[in-house]
């Protein structure tokens, strides 16, 4: 990396503005209210071209303090000391006092004393960590995610942050891609509901309000569809699929007012998103109506050169600004090249004005001109961060995110039973997920911690059984402090490690023999899911599978608790274990939430939002596939020329929307109040749902619709509504879903979203495999 001299904050404060250009010659802005639009325009006019271009640069906090959260590759860059000193925003610098100090120093020397923006990825929480987004999706409760985002915003805001790079609303279908953990899943409608809720949670209705941070919808567009699930790989989507399945969740976030959008690394129709004028100007700005700040992903502006789309950094600057990218995250390409490109007439200065204006507007919306420190406050940080209320919310969200995949009557744990917990997640605090930079594992509650609080200790034992990974799996390339070192340390002392592991195994087997029930907390390493964590074999690490097999040989009652960031091939586990509980990466209150469910204090309600494949060869598998001309007909496997596999079923192991409860439910067939629907009319689809078991429970009823014939091929089924119903034992309720014409719209042959007259099928059930339906006809 080019050696840019680090700032000496004290020096800057002492020599207030010494040697800095001050084109306006003004004193620091003392304002008691926001800038009016005309004042912002005035400010822009008085700024020099360099100053405007520097507003478009984002650098990491280490340029200011030598200490920051680094979330991407550090490369050569074109920063100069002056451009860094005047960069408009910074990533990864936080802590109330630090932020205040840097903000003060920055503003002292910025020619117009414009405040700096502080940004970071606050994904599933700040210091209080909530379940990973894929787990949050499984709650089918966007309102809960709105509250989690609000709590995360509060913690981030008092630590001095103004913007979070969240939510990620990329639709995901390929479980090999490590970043599926950051999405709420494979469904367009559900993702849109979460997108809206999370943006509202972070931002509230006014960014100036206390404890709000600006949201950034990402990654625009289609980043969730990399070929073969390999991160940063080409995306090959038809415009139809892009518009119909992928764009709606971004649109929902934009309509909810997301202040920023981030470009994606991938190509769309052969053109890298960051330099894609059609995507960013025609679609994002003109069609989707986004008028906020468009920021490039980390180094994405430079990467369009490596895509082979731009000749050099000047070309990359030209194409990115033509596409309307306002902030360059970490390449320095704008600050290095734009001035010259404008001076030689290649780029219009009006493009810089446009971008700088949007950045000023964002600062103004956040209220930074009147209060550049916004909510940064050490005392409040101590009060708010990891407060009891946030921990309780984390526990609520975690237990609602768990999905009971199988249960042959062995869960919940009966307190009189002798229970052995065996597995590497038994007393593991690394359960926060890969995107939790701020949360620390020491604050997380492990299964053991929680079990010690609620189970009879004389009847409960705990064994690690084996490590999360053995020396056959290498976690390479991670930053220090991310947690990969433990594994590599073990891998260097192979002999000693072998002896240790054998001992752990034998102890576990003996304990399993003596117990009435074995709970096995198994899973991926937390660094096996996340950015740059694609996996071709989506399985539980072999060392854990060996432990699992050995325990199953001596103990018939095995319940597996699964920690992972993505759907896995768990055929063997689901075949042999009597119960399987999916807990994702559950966050700070994980252990408490898991014990709530294992003991039956909380009856599980979570539902999968991404199909669990039968095997990796089936991936990408999702419920809402297009109809084919040769559909597979269940039971007709010998019918050869059908769309099917010779060796595995078409259906996933566990489908979208699936999840069990400790009670049972009966759902009647849907009844429609009319067979024909005209424009403007509402059709009511009603089912009766009864709790037929002995415990109170909550079911997620799901409404799916199929458009039988249309001008373009339609999915076999699409989620159009859902609702959570709580029922006491024996209780029955009627639930009605309203169906309106807008819900039947799709991207038609006319290249617009519209509905077409004709037949529709309505399915209401407890997962996407529901088969019974009723028909109705839309008349126009
Ligand atoms: C790269 C990731 O793709 C993006 O999601 C993230 O916001 C940035 N790095 C900044 O950390």
């Amino acid at each position: 990396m080019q050696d840019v001299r680090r700032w000496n904050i004290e020096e800057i404060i002492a020599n207030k503005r010494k040697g800095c250009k001050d084109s306006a010659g003004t004193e620091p802005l003392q304002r008691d209210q926001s800038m009016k639009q005309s004042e912002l325009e005035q400010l822009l006019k008085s700024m020099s071209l360099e100053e405007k271009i520097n507003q478009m640069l984002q650098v990491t906090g280490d340029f200011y303090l030598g200490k920051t959260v680094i979330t991407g590759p550090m490369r050569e860059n074109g920063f100069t000391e002056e451009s860094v000193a005047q960069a408009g925003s910074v990533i990864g610098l936080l802590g109330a006092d630090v932020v205040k100090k840097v903000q003060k120093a920055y503003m002292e020397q910025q020619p117009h004393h414009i405040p700096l923006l502080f940004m970071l990825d606050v994904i599933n929480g700040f210091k209080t960590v909530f379940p990973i987004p894929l787990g949050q999706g499984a709650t089918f409760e966007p309102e809960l995610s709105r509250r989690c985002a609000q709590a995360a915003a509060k913690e981030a805001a008092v630590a001095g942050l103004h913007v979070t790079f969240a939510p990620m609303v990329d639709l995901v279908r390929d479980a090999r891609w490590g970043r599926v953990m950051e999405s709420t899943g494979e469904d367009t409608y559900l993702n849109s509901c979460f997108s809206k809720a999370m943006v509202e949670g972070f931002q509230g209705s006014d960014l100036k309000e206390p404890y709000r941070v600006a949201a950034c919808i990402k990654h625009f567009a289609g980043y969730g569809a990399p070929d073969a699930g390999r991160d940063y790989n080409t995306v090959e989507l038809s415009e139809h699929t892009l518009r119909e399945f992928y764009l709606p969740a971004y649109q929902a976030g934009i309509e909810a007012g997301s202040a920023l959008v981030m470009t994606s690394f991938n190509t769309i129709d052969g053109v890298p998103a960051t330099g894609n004028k059609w995507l960013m100007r025609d679609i994002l700005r003109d069609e989707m109506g986004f008028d906020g700040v468009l920021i490039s992903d980390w180094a994405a502006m430079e990467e369009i050169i490596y895509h082979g789309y731009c000749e050099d950094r000047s070309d990359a600057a030209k194409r990115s600004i033509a596409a309307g990218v306002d902030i360059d995250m970490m390449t320095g390409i704008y600050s290095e090249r734009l001035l010259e490109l404008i001076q030689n007439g290649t780029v219009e200065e009006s493009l810089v004005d446009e971008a700088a204006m949007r950045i000023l507007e964002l600062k103004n919306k956040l209220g930074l001109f009147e209060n550049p420190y916004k909510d940064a406050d050490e005392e409040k940080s101590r009060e708010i961060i990891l407060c009891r209320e946030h921990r309780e919310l984390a526990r609520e969200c975690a237990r609602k995110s768990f999905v009971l995949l199988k249960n042959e009557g062995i869960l919940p744990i009966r307190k009189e039973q002798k229970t052995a917990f065996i597995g590497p997640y038994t007393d593991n605090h690394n359960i926060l997920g890969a995107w939790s930079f701020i949360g620390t594992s020491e604050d997380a509650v492990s299964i053991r911690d929680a079990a010690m609080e609620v189970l009879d200790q004389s009847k409960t034992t705990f064994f690690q059984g084996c490590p999360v990974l053995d020396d056959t799996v290498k976690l390479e390339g991670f930053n220090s402090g991310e947690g990969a070192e433990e594994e590599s340390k073990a891998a260097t002392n192979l002999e000693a490690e072998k002896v240790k592991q054998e001992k752990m195994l034998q102890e576990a087997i003996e304990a399993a023999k003596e117990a009435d029930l074995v709970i096995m907390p198994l899973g991926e390493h937390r660094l096996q899911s996340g950015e740059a964590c694609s996996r071709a074999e989506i399985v539980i690490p072999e060392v854990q599978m060996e432990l699992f097999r050995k325990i199953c040989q001596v103990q018939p009652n095995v319940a597996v608790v699964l920690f992972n960031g993505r759907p896995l091939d768990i055929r063997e586990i689901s075949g042999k274990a009597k119960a399987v509980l999916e807990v994702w990466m559950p966050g700070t209150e994980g252990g408490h939430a898991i014990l709530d469910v294992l003991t039956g204090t909380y009856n599980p309600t979570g539902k999968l939002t991404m199909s669990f494949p039968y095997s990796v060869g089936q991936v990408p598998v999702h419920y809402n596939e297009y109809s084919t001309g040769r559909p597979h007909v269940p039971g007709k496997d010998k019918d050869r020329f059908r769309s099917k596999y010779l060796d595995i079923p078409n259906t996933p192991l566990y489908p979208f929307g699936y999840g069990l409860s400790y009670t049972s439910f009966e759902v009647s067939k849907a009844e429609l109040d009319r067979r024909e629907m005209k424009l403007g009319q509402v059709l009511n689809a009603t089912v009766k749902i009864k709790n037929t078991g002995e415990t109170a429970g909550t079911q997620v009823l799901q409404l799916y619709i199929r458009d039988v014939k249309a001008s373009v091929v339609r999915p076999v089924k699409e989620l159009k509504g859902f609702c959570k119903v709580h029922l006491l034992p024996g209780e029955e309720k009627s639930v009605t879903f309203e169906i309106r014409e807008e819900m039947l719209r799709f991207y038609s042959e006319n290249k617009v979203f519209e509905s077409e007259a004709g037949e529709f099928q309505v399915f209401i059930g407890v997962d996407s495999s529901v088969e019974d339906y009723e028909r109705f006809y839309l008349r126009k």
Side-chain angles (χ1 to χ4, degrees):
M1 216 165 71
Q2 188 171 315
D3 183 30
V4 174
R5 191 167 68 86
R6 311 252 181 249
W7 263 29
N8 181 335
I9 302 265
E10 315 302 337
E11 192 183 300
I12 290 170
I13 296 170
N15 301 313
K16 195 173 155 189
R17 286 172 33 208
K18 196 175 117 202
C20 289
K21 278 188 226 153
D22 185 341
S23 51
T26 52
E27 284 306 309
L29 293 162
Q30 294 285 321
R31 307 190 57 85
D32 48 15
Q33 59 187 35
S34 316
M35 307 267 265
K36 295 195 192 81
Q37 194 63 21
S38 57
E39 289 174 304
L40 285 177
E41 280 160 16
Q42 209 41 53
L43 172 62
L44 187 76
K45 270 201 199 127
S46 66
M47 288 164 75
S48 68
L49 183 54
E50 291 93 322
E51 203 184 340
K52 289 185 281 191
I53 293 171
N54 285 332
Q55 282 296 308
M56 298 162 74
L57 170 65
Q58 173 158 115
V59 293
T60 56
D62 64 334
F63 289 105
Y64 300 91
L65 283 178
K67 205 168 151 210
T68 189
V69 179
I70 308 278
T71 65
M74 301 300 277
R75 297 213 179 97
E76 277 295 303
N77 57 57
F79 309 149
T80 62
E81 196 170 329
E82 182 165 351
S83 63
V84 168
Q86 294 193 17
S89 58
V90 61
I91 170 175
L93 200 147
L94 67 159
D97 283 351
V98 173
V99 162
K100 281 179 166 172
K101 205 169 176 184
V102 171
Q103 183 71 292
K104 183 167 189 309
Y106 173 89
M107 289 179 70
E108 297 282 11
Q109 55 78 57
Q110 204 289 334
H112 287 83
H113 322 299
I114 295 168
L116 181 60
L117 276 170
F118 293 84
M119 309 194 183
L120 181 66
D121 302 86
V122 179
I123 309 291
N124 45 307
F126 183 74
K127 189 93 171 155
T128 308
V129 180
F130 303 103
I132 56 169
L134 194 60
Q136 292 193 34
T139 66
F140 270 71
E141 214 175 302
E143 171 56 23
L144 182 54
S145 288
R146 193 185 60 72
R147 284 160 56 209
C148 293
Q150 188 175 343
K154 194 166 179 181
E155 293 192 3
V158 289
L161 291 173
H162 304 141
V163 174
T164 173
F165 298 126
M168 173 179 122
V169 300
D170 300 316
L171 184 119
V172 292
R173 292 174 166 177
D174 192 326
R176 291 170 297 180
W177 192 47
R179 299 195 77 170
V180 303
M181 61 157 290
E182 288 175 65
S183 164
T184 49
E186 71 188 36
D187 186 71
T188 307
Y189 172 66
L190 191 70
N191 283 357
S192 302
C193 297
F194 276 99
S195 170
K196 175 176 187 293
M198 289 178 180
V199 168
E200 287 172 355
F202 286 124
Q203 298 197 157
S205 53
D206 181 353
L207 284 174
K208 281 193 198 74
E209 279 173 9
Y211 312 137
R212 300 302 190 181
V213 296
C216 177
I217 289 290
K218 67 187 189 184
H219 308 81
F220 198 76
Y223 181 45
D227 269 8
R230 210 179 71 219
D231 208 0
Y232 317 125
N233 200 9
T234 307
V235 164
E236 205 39 82
L237 287 176
S238 68
E239 187 178 336
H240 183 88
T241 300
L242 174 73
R243 287 180 179 273
E244 174 123 2
F245 288 99
Y246 287 78
L247 294 189
Y250 305 110
Q251 179 77 61
I254 290 163
E255 281 169 14
S258 183
L260 295 95
V261 166
M262 185 186 290
T263 70
S264 57
F265 291 123
N266 55 277
T267 56
I268 287 291
D269 215 5
V271 179
T274 306
N276 193 325
K277 196 168 166 202
W278 169 78
L279 183 68
M280 299 303 174
R281 294 233 183 236
D282 300 357
I283 307 287
L284 178 67
R285 300 261 187 219
D286 297 349
E287 281 186 32
M288 297 174 81
F290 177 66
D291 64 359
V293 169
L294 180 61
I295 184 167
S296 78
D297 200 343
W298 182 294
M301 211 176 269
E302 185 177 322
E303 287 167 19
I304 64 180
I305 306 172
Y306 311 142
H307 271 290
Y309 178 67
C310 293
E311 212 166 280
D312 54 20
R313 290 167 73 87
S314 296
D315 196 16
K318 191 178 89 188
R319 296 218 188 232
S320 304
I321 198 160
V325 179
D326 302 314
I327 299 182
D328 162 16
M329 191 193 290
M330 280 303 286
T331 75
I333 284 181
Y334 276 165
S335 47
E336 182 190 303
R337 302 294 163 111
L338 274 181
L339 186 64
E340 190 192 338
L341 289 170
I342 290 166
Q343 282 166 348
N344 70 22
T346 312
V347 167
E348 303 265 334
E349 185 169 345
S350 60
L351 291 177
V352 168
D353 287 346
E354 188 193 321
M357 189 61 174
R358 284 198 201 104
I359 297 162
L360 294 178
E361 280 168 352
L362 173 59
K363 293 180 176 186
N364 195 38
K365 273 191 215 155
L366 282 156
L368 298 182
F369 285 106
E370 61 271 32
N371 177 10
Y373 308 125
K374 199 164 185 310
D375 301 305
D377 188 321
E378 276 302 337
E379 208 180 305
K380 286 205 177 124
S381 296
R382 282 189 289 276
E383 231 172 76
I384 289 169
I385 291 177
L386 263 179
C387 64
R388 200 161 135 198
E389 193 194 325
H390 290 177
R391 275 192 172 272
E392 272 164 17
L393 182 60
R395 181 169 180 166
E396 177 187 352
C397 190
R399 63 194 197 173
K400 286 182 171 170
S401 76
F402 301 160
V403 185
L404 185 63
L405 297 174
K406 179 176 178 183
N407 187 20
E408 287 176 354
I410 63 166
L411 291 180
I413 296 173
R414 286 182 292 278
K415 290 197 175 160
E416 70 282 2
Q417 284 178 318
K418 273 213 264 172
T419 306
F421 287 83
I422 300 175
Y425 275 95
T426 295
D427 196 18
N428 194 330
H429 293 80
N430 280 317
I431 54 174
L432 305 180
W435 275 98
S436 312
F437 308 117
I438 310 303
T440 42
S441 53
E442 299 82 64
D443 293 319
V445 179
S446 74
I447 289 187
R448 186 175 194 277
D449 298 336
M452 296 284 280
E453 290 172 23
V454 293
L455 296 179
D456 179 345
Q457 290 185 29
S458 68
K459 295 200 169 79
T460 315
T461 50
F462 306 93
F463 298 88
Q464 187 186 339
C466 70
V468 177
L469 299 175
D470 65 6
D471 63 301
T472 58
V473 184
K474 304 253 177 300
L475 291 177
E476 283 171 326
F478 290 93
N479 297 329
S480 69
E482 280 190 281
E485 312 86 1
E486 226 177 274
E487 267 61 41
S488 40
K489 244 190 275 153
T492 52
N493 196 349
L494 291 185
E495 265 320 299
E497 189 58 27
K498 244 191 195 152
V499 175
K500 192 172 135 203
Q501 283 184 25
E502 187 52 37
K503 189 163 169 261
M504 272 199 254
L505 178 65
Q506 290 314 322
E507 276 173 2
I509 293 173
E510 287 315 309
K513 284 184 195 159
E514 280 163 30
D516 301 319
L517 169 69
V518 171
I519 306 283
M520 295 198 70
L522 307 175
E524 285 188 302
H525 190 282
R526 104 189 154 84
L527 297 179
Q528 284 183 307
S529 282
E531 188 178 348
C533 295
S534 296
R535 294 181 70 197
E537 306 291 350
I538 42 174
V539 289
I540 295 293
E542 187 52 23
V543 62
Q544 298 184 49
M545 288 307 295
E546 281 166 19
L547 173 72
F548 170 71
R549 289 180 199 119
K550 296 229 158 88
I551 299 299
C552 288
Q553 280 167 9
V554 300
Q555 170 57 254
N557 295 323
V558 173
V560 171
V561 177
L562 275 180
F563 290 76
N564 44 288
R566 52 150 66 84
L568 296 170
D569 171 355
I570 53 162
R571 247 175 315 160
E572 187 178 346
I573 287 182
S574 89
K576 287 187 181 150
K578 280 202 179 153
V580 183
L581 179 70
E582 170 60 63
V583 300
W584 316 108
M585 284 289 157
T588 311
E589 282 290 318
H592 283 144
I594 291 168
L595 263 293
D596 288 343
V597 170
L598 289 179
T599 57
T601 312
Y602 185 79
N603 188 352
T605 54
K607 299 282 188 168
L608 296 181
T609 61
M610 227 188 139
S611 309
F612 267 49
Y614 182 85
S615 71
V616 69
Q618 211 182 37
V619 168
V621 57
H622 52 99
Y623 85 95
N624 45 3
E625 59 185 16
Y626 287 126
S627 307
T628 75
R630 293 188 178 187
H632 172 246
V633 181
K636 290 211 169 168
D637 292 336
K638 293 211 176 88
D639 196 351
R640 185 169 155 214
F641 296 101
R642 293 274 171 186
S643 176
K644 65 183 176 64
Y645 298 100
L646 288 178
D647 50 352
I648 59 166
N650 277 13
T651 45
L653 191 63
Y654 296 113
F656 175 88
Y658 174 85
L660 303 173
S661 158
Y662 291 148
T663 188
S664 50
F665 298 92
E666 247 172 45
V667 181
S668 69
K669 213 170 143 188
E671 280 186 17
L672 308 185
D673 69 346
R674 57 172 86 231
R675 292 277 154 197
E676 302 212 340
M677 186 172 124
K678 294 201 192 108
L679 289 186
Q681 286 184 331
V682 174
L683 184 148
N684 292 306
T686 305
V687 286
K688 287 204 175 74
I689 174 165
K690 185 171 184 186
N691 181 345
T692 50
E694 280 154 24
T695 344
T698 298
Q699 182 55 273
V700 182
L701 275 177
Q702 300 158 41
L703 166 75
Y704 295 90
I705 295 183
R706 175 178 193 161
D707 188 346
V708 178
K709 193 229 136 238
S711 60
V712 292
V713 173
R714 306 300 332 282
V716 293
K717 214 178 254 171
E718 287 177 294
L719 184 75
K720 293 291 176 181
F722 54 90
C723 92
K724 280 179 127 168
V725 195
H726 184 75
L727 294 166
L728 298 172
E731 194 184 4
E732 184 178 79
K733 277 184 186 163
S734 252
V735 175
T736 300
F737 287 97
E738 290 189 347
I739 300 176
R740 282 165 278 102
E741 180 270 332
E742 304 89 88
M743 293 158 69
L744 310 176
R745 294 182 191 166
F746 63 99
Y747 196 65
S748 78
E749 66 174 353
N750 298 324
K751 309 272 180 238
V752 289
F753 274 88
E754 60 183 350
S755 61
E756 289 175 359
E759 182 185 341
F760 292 83
Q761 296 171 350
V762 179
F763 308 73
I764 300 177
V766 297
D767 66 52
S768 63
S769 70
V770 50
E771 283 177 357
D772 281 349
Y773 62 84
E774 279 297 332
R775 307 167 207 278
F776 75 90
Y777 296 86
L778 176 69
R779 303 285 186 216
K780 285 198 169 176

